[in-house]
Each structure stands twice: as C-alpha cells, then as structure tokens.
Amino acid sequence: MVTVKDKVFAPFIEREALNQRIVDMGRDISRDYKGRNPLFVVVLNGAFMFASDLLKGVDVLCEISFIKLASYEQTQSTGKVKQILGLAEAVQGREVIVIEDIVDTGLTMSQLISQLKAQEAASVEVVTLLHKPEAQKIAIDLRYVGFEIQNRFVVGYGLDYDGLGRNLDAIYVLAE
Ligand code: IMP
Ligand code: MG
C-alpha cells in the first residue's frame, strides 16, 4: 500500500508487467511505421514516463514533441479541457501519433485529435498506456492500448492524484 496525500492506494499493475507490455507496443509501432517518419506528440504531464520508456523501443526515424493539457481536478474529470502549451512543430502533412497516459471519458483525446486534424495532419493515431472503456463518453479510435482497466482511479508511472504520485514506478489503484 502507498499513501498519496490523504488517500491509500494498492498495487495494481507491476513494473515488470508494464515493461513487457511497453516493449510489445514499441515493436507494434515500429512495424506499422517502418520507413515512415512519424511525429510523436506526448501529452504532458501524465504521459512523460510512459513516453520515455515506449520511445526507447521505437526504431523508426521520428520526431518527438510535447503538448500540455489538463481536464482533471483531484479525482474527478472537470469535463473541460484546457490547452496549456501548444505544439511548436508544424503538423500539416505529418503522420502524428499521440502518446497519452490514460483515456477516461475520451474528451481530452477527442479534442486533441480534432485540433490536430484541423491543422491538417496526414493521419492521427493514439497510443495510450491505459484505457477505461466503462468511463468512455466519446467514441475514439485507439490504435494502441496498453491495458484496459476498470473504472477506478489510479496513480503512479506518470499519473497523479492532485499533482502527487507521478514518480511511483508502477500503477496503484485507490483502495476501496
Ligand atoms: P478524459 O478526458 O476524461 O479521457 O481524461 C483524460 C485525462 O484525465 C488523462 O490524461 C489523465 O490526465 C486524467 N485521468 C483520467 N483518469 C485518471 C486516473 O485514474 N488517474 C489519474 N489521472 C486520470
Ligand atoms: Mg493526461
């Protein structure tokens, strides 16, 4: 068990299981994008640790950029997405792969995908470490999903509870 601020979390996905799955995802992306030159767009802050490990296993020539979005306050989605930091790279004509930590309601991803398509990306695909299918409100095509999980609040490996817990090296779930 770990305590983050005022809440207790239990082990959920171990480091070893994360490692194995992320190696597979890197291989899948490398195979699908062989000979192409994708632009990875990492969604900060949550995806920083996942992106760092995933991209070490991607062996195609690629560019990597970062965008910062936020829709959560504490453990509830606010339903609004604030874009905090924009993309410096030109997206027009590029094959974009968005790297996200978790898709919950799908609101963040659907808004980001719309923005990238409006900027005339040649293609937009999503790679997310976690997906909560039961929480999803907006249909989006998720090309690469690490783990489908129940609709429970998780922290660690980049994911936070009120700004804390991102440095945990595995995924923990809020204890009932
Ligand atoms: P969505 O827009 O509802 O899909 O929310 C996606 C964003 O909410 C993610 O990028 C996370 O930052 C955050 N989020 C969703 N579920 C969790 C969770 O269980 N723990 C921590 N952050 C979460
Ligand atoms: Mg996020």
Side-chain angles (χ1 to χ4, degrees), residues 140-151:
I140 349 164
D141 184 25
L142 300 173
R143 178 84 177 265
Y144 309 96
V145 176
F147 299 87
E148 290 201 338
I149 64 169
Q150 295 157 291
N151 192 9

Side-chain angles (χ1 to χ4, degrees), residues 22-36 38 40 54-62 97 144:
I22 292 167
V23 165
D24 287 346
M25 295 171 89
R27 279 203 199 110
D28 290 347
I29 294 170
S30 302
R31 180 199 59 217
D32 295 347
Y33 284 83
K34 194 172 180 197
R36 289 147 75 181
F40 287 95
L54 176 72
L55 290 165
K56 287 172 210 158
V58 170
D59 69 356
V60 296
L61 278 181
C62 61
I97 306 174
Y144 309 96

Side-chain angles (χ1 to χ4, degrees), residues 4-16:
V4 180
K5 205 175 166 184
D6 56 352
K7 295 200 192 300
V8 177
F9 293 83
F12 192 55
I13 307 175
E14 288 177 0
R15 189 61 241 250
E16 191 48 38

Side-chain angles (χ1 to χ4, degrees), residues 14-21:
E14 288 177 0
R15 189 61 241 250
E16 191 48 38
L18 290 172
N19 284 344
Q20 284 182 18
R21 183 72 190 112

